[in-house]
Amino acid sequence: MKITAADVIVTSPDRNFVTLKITTDEGITGLGDGTLNGRELAVASYLADHVVPLLIGRDPHRIEDTWQFLYRSAYWRRGPVTMAAIAAVDVALWDIKAKAAGMPLYQLLGGASRNGIMAYGHASGRDLPELFDSIRQHLEQGYRSIRVQTSVPGVNAVYGVAAQSTDGLRYDYEPARRAPLPAEEDWDTRAYLRHLPGVFEAVRNEFGPELPLLHDGHHRMTPIQAAKLGKELEPYDLFWLEDCTPAENQEALRLVRQHTTTPLAIGEVFNTVWDYQTLISEQLIDYVRSAVTHTGGITAMRKLLDYAAQYQIKSGIHGPTDISPVGMAAALHLDLAIHNFGIQEYMRHGAATNEVFRQSFTFTDGYLHPGEQPGLGVELDEEAAARFPYQQAYLPFSRLKDGTVHDW
Ligand code: CS2
Ligand code: MG
């Protein structure tokens, strides 16, 4: 089998997506996701201008060789743009291989290790009544695990609170904003630290001790602040506290780990196993948060998760709406097959996205399943995709009250 064409399709139904479609001389095609929120065109160009010419004529079955060729022949290593581009190729090749084998992709990864994939959804509210309503809505939608995000008194706009995104410029389902400039938001960590433990006490009092609750710190605390919050949240038995502190300095998590038993999840902004080496080998985290799309694809993500498994660390694959249905499908096939599965983030895509990407996954009684169609189980409607051209969009950024730029 030979690759005869590779097309980069940028479309913006509910938000911008970058999809790679690889076509073979046997008529089998494969899809890969290369979406990088706020920097989509960088990946589209990396693929179209630098990678596609290298793919034509290659044997699509040589997935490992193609991965190593793209990673090593680029010379410049790692980074979100490079690894998202490699991921798009890798996932498309796995899609082709599984279609050629007539099997759903997870069968090529060792078959199912569980009946279904536990998912968590995003509940949020500007105040407790709104938050409780959001939790109830998610429970009614079938979620059995809930992420809790809330506004902070004195802070105008906080990450993850859906009700705030009412300016008509944001995508309905996630924080990117369709505008020529990033939105500026404010932040106050001390106000956040004073407020959050009381929110989780109220949620536990209202919903009981069993419901798995998650929270995303979104990189905003120093290690000692993260340690303080982790310790103060222990009575509320969180499933995980995510991105409690920026982790480029992986050793910073040693301080957090010394002070709290709250489980820690990190890595959605990471893109290679090297970003995790200390975090995993010293068991400084409990869940690996990377998305297949941002970590070099299924080939690399499987190796990362197998390394994590040696240290009893589990998966918590990133699944926001800026991971396309193609990237989400890749995650589900991996989730079903690996032994050290933890949980899967599942933000629902909008109707226009579901029109462009026809999917075969199911969500039943809190569990996801990728389906039994050969390959990934996703088809791209290119005519529909063409109706939604790219729109400049950026993630917000934060400033502290004195004007200092802060992690958003
Ligand atoms: C968040 C993301 O889902 C999460 O855990 O951290 O929504 C993140 O803000 C976006 O993926 C950024 O594009
Ligand atoms: Mg996150």
Side-chain angles (χ1 to χ4, degrees):
M1 194 185 294
K2 293 276 182 259
I3 295 173
T4 53
D7 300 296
V8 179
I9 299 161
V10 180
T11 181
S12 190
D14 294 295
R15 50 147 297 110
N16 295 313
F17 294 112
V18 177
T19 306
L20 179 69
K21 175 187 170 187
I22 294 181
T23 304
T24 66
D25 58 358
E26 294 185 13
I28 298 177
T29 60
L31 296 176
D33 178 26
T35 303
L36 186 64
N37 203 350
R39 297 297 185 271
E40 296 88 355
L41 296 186
V43 181
S45 168
Y46 191 111
L47 283 166
D49 297 327
H50 302 297
V51 170
V52 165
L54 308 182
L55 297 178
I56 309 306
R58 285 187 68 89
D59 177 354
H61 281 302
R62 298 183 66 187
I63 299 176
E64 181 72 28
D65 180 65
T66 299
W67 196 99
Q68 297 294 343
F69 167 63
L70 293 178
Y71 183 76
R72 297 174 193 278
S73 69
Y75 187 73
W76 312 107
R77 304 228 170 153
R78 303 164 69 180
V81 174
T82 294
M83 300 318 290
I86 293 176
V89 176
D90 185 77
V91 170
L93 297 184
W94 276 106
D95 192 16
I96 289 167
K97 188 181 277 287
K99 284 177 179 177
M103 297 180 185
L105 176 50
Y106 73 85
Q107 293 291 10
L108 300 191
L109 302 174
S113 296
R114 55 196 52 79
N115 301 322
I117 298 159
M118 172 61 78
Y120 75 87
H122 287 195
S124 66
R126 287 166 294 189
D127 53 31
L128 286 179
E130 196 170 85
L131 173 60
F132 289 1
D133 285 347
S134 179
I135 293 172
R136 290 191 186 97
Q137 283 164 15
H138 282 79
L139 293 172
E140 285 158 16
Q141 289 171 359
Y143 287 98
R144 291 168 169 243
S145 302
I146 305 280
R147 189 188 80 168
V148 170
Q149 303 295 131
T150 181
S151 292
V152 174
V155 178
N156 295 317
V158 176
Y159 159 74
V161 181
Q164 286 170 186
S165 58
T166 55
D167 62 5
L169 289 172
R170 292 182 189 285
Y171 293 113
D172 297 344
Y173 305 94
E174 48 96 4
R177 186 168 176 264
R178 292 187 292 266
L181 290 173
E184 177 178 328
E185 298 186 354
D186 57 343
W187 182 247
D188 179 341
T189 305
R190 284 172 47 83
Y192 164 74
L193 293 173
R194 286 194 302 270
H195 180 65
L196 197 72
V199 170
F200 275 93
E201 182 181 24
V203 170
R204 278 293 180 221
N205 290 339
E206 183 76 12
F207 294 93
E210 291 83 21
L211 179 63
L213 298 176
L214 304 87
H215 180 69
D216 193 344
H218 226 257
H219 323 281
R220 300 181 180 201
M221 291 174 272
T222 62
I224 199 64
Q225 289 170 334
K228 172 182 169 64
L229 180 62
K231 189 154 59 173
E232 292 184 355
L233 292 177
E234 284 176 13
Y236 313 117
D237 187 25
L238 266 64
F239 183 92
W240 81 31
L241 173 60
E242 174 185 350
D243 283 334
C244 63
T245 189
E248 293 93 318
N249 171 17
Q250 299 176 49
E251 295 169 5
L253 275 297
R254 289 175 182 157
L255 174 62
V256 183
R257 208 53 158 182
Q258 283 164 8
H259 290 278
T260 181
T261 58
T262 294
L264 301 176
I266 281 193
E268 70 179 48
V269 297
F270 288 171
N271 38 78
T272 69
V273 64
W274 308 109
D275 298 317
Y276 286 95
Q277 197 171 15
T278 305
L279 294 174
I280 289 175
S281 61
E282 295 186 15
Q283 294 178 299
L284 300 179
I285 59 174
D286 303 282
Y287 297 93
V288 167
R289 276 291 283 147
S290 285
V292 173
T293 299
H294 299 144
T295 318
I298 287 169
T299 299
M301 192 73 186
R302 180 62 189 266
K303 293 172 183 176
L304 168 58
L305 291 173
D306 285 350
Y307 174 45
Q310 309 317 311
Y311 295 87
Q312 302 184 63
I313 296 170
K314 298 187 175 184
S315 71
I317 294 180
H318 193 206
T321 44
D322 49 289
I323 297 292
S324 89
V326 174
M328 188 69 182
L332 297 185
H333 286 280
L334 205 47
D335 286 333
L336 197 63
I338 59 173
H339 179 257
N340 60 321
F341 168 77
I343 200 166
Q344 173 62 50
E345 179 176 13
Y346 173 38
M347 275 180 83
R348 296 159 179 261
H349 284 110
T353 298
N354 294 333
E355 179 194 344
V356 172
F357 298 91
R358 287 195 297 276
Q359 307 147 66
S360 63
F361 80 87
T362 55
F363 178 57
T364 310
D365 197 22
Y367 291 84
L368 292 159
H369 191 287
E372 298 299 332
Q373 281 194 348
L376 280 171
V378 183
E379 298 300 329
L380 174 61
D381 182 333
E382 294 186 52
E383 284 182 21
R387 294 205 313 270
F388 302 103
Y390 168 80
Q391 300 186 53
Q392 186 95 50
Y394 286 100
L395 285 166
F397 74 104
S398 287
R399 287 189 187 273
L400 302 177
K401 296 208 182 303
D402 68 359
T404 305
V405 171
H406 192 67
D407 291 291
W408 173 77

